[in-house]
Amino acid sequence: MTATRLFDRALIRLSPRTDSEGAASDENVVDFLQGLVTSDVAKALPVWAGLLSPQGKVLFDFIVWPAGRGLLLDCEAEVADALVKRLSMYRLRKAIDIARDDHSAVHWRPHTGDGAAPDPRLHALGERWIAPVDPTDPEDAETGADAAWRAHRLSLGVMEGRAELGDGETLWLECNAGELNGVSFTKGCYVGQENTARMNWRAKVNRRLVVVPLDRSDEKRRRAAYPDLGLAVDHLRVEDLAADMTPIWMAAQA
């Protein structure tokens, strides 16, 4: 069977806190996250969202899934603990539990139509789903789908994760969030909303992250390189983007 698990992804569960008798609090997890992230998590899920700095620069990106009265965040495994810490900082005294869920895993396949959820960023990315971890399953990190997923999304010009998007270095709209359904301009306020909205209203996205052939990458503008794929991620001025470096989905919305 073709491997589907993404070992480079982790899940964070946000849920109403339960007391010693198992009774859940009345805290609204959706309202809590709605005031923090770029996408509207009160509507249909899953959605791709970012948690930004007050200046509108991306700190974390993730996919938000429904989970009963709570939510699940499908995020980069390397930064999951840092994301838990950041969200906990905003929690204050709200009776909400925020923790990694290591009993579930993220899965992906490159096509759609088999009953899972299409990737909310771009239909061509395929579909993903969450499933319980089966301790008897022989699949391991060496046979997971991470390499295939990386090659597939980069071939479509889609970036994710701290290595490509940066850690507080890149404005969210420069990550192509507007074109890839990663921001709502009609929901209420969230962290970094002011600068993000201003850029949208003024149509002032001067730079963009793009996937380019490695032999045409500008080392001074490079964020990540993948020699095995012959690709790199560069942060380029819009006027420097060659037509053949512009993904179809970006060109269609230009």
Side-chain angles (χ1 to χ4, degrees):
M1 181 179 294
T2 302
T4 61
R5 182 173 173 183
L6 298 178
F7 285 87
D8 288 344
R9 305 295 290 181
L11 289 163
I12 295 173
R13 185 176 294 274
L14 286 71
S15 56
R17 184 171 301 153
T18 56
D19 60 24
S20 58
E21 297 180 355
S25 75
D26 293 330
E27 292 286 1
N28 190 312
V29 174
V30 171
D31 285 352
F32 166 69
L33 197 66
Q34 182 81 321
L36 297 178
V37 304
T38 59
S39 292
D40 193 337
V41 299
K43 294 184 177 179
L45 299 178
V47 294
W48 183 49
L51 181 61
L52 313 182
S53 71
Q55 294 75 34
K57 296 184 177 183
V58 61
L59 301 174
F60 304 93
D61 75 299
F62 39 81
I63 294 176
V64 185
W65 296 82
R69 288 187 55 207
L71 296 167
L72 282 170
L73 307 186
D74 161 1
C75 68
E76 187 180 15
E78 286 188 359
V79 304
D81 292 338
L83 178 53
V84 168
K85 184 176 181 180
R86 187 80 179 193
L87 291 170
S88 299
M89 180 184 75
Y90 289 113
R91 177 179 53 191
L92 302 175
R93 296 184 179 181
K94 292 182 174 66
I96 294 173
D97 287 327
I98 304 171
R100 287 182 66 142
D101 181 352
D102 294 324
H103 300 292
S104 301
V106 180
H107 293 257
W108 163 83
R109 53 182 159 237
H111 59 270
T112 59
D114 282 346
D119 193 293
R121 289 165 287 190
L122 191 68
H123 195 271
L125 285 171
E127 61 186 17
R128 26 194 332 130
W129 67 99
I130 295 169
V133 173
D134 181 356
T136 66
D137 191 336
E139 185 178 50
D140 58 33
E142 292 185 359
T143 58
D146 298 283
W149 162 244
R150 183 182 303 111
H152 184 67
R153 68 173 176 80
L154 289 173
S155 73
L156 294 169
V158 177
M159 289 134 287
E160 68 181 16
R162 186 165 282 184
E164 296 169 10
L165 304 185
D167 180 10
E169 304 163 65
T170 318
L171 293 163
W172 186 231
L173 295 188
E174 293 179 348
C175 301
N176 310 309
E179 293 76 16
L180 294 173
N181 307 309
V183 60
S184 169
F185 296 110
T186 58
K187 60 170 277 185
C189 294
Y190 54 87
V191 181
Q193 183 262 349
E194 185 175 350
N195 278 352
T196 304
R198 184 183 298 115
M199 286 181 66
N200 180 61
W201 292 333
R202 295 180 178 178
K204 290 284 285 184
V205 182
N206 297 321
R207 292 181 174 85
R208 287 191 182 274
L209 289 173
V210 290
V211 178
V212 301
L214 185 57
D215 59 3
R216 294 171 62 187
S217 172
D218 181 346
E219 289 187 21
K220 295 180 180 179
R221 300 294 181 186
R222 185 182 300 161
R223 285 289 176 78
Y226 302 95
D228 57 322
L229 300 175
L231 299 172
V233 174
D234 284 9
H235 189 215
L236 301 176
R237 288 188 172 276
V238 171
E239 57 264 30
D240 294 336
L241 292 181
D244 61 349
M245 290 182 179
T246 305
I248 294 173
W249 51 263
M250 186 188 296
Q253 299 187 45

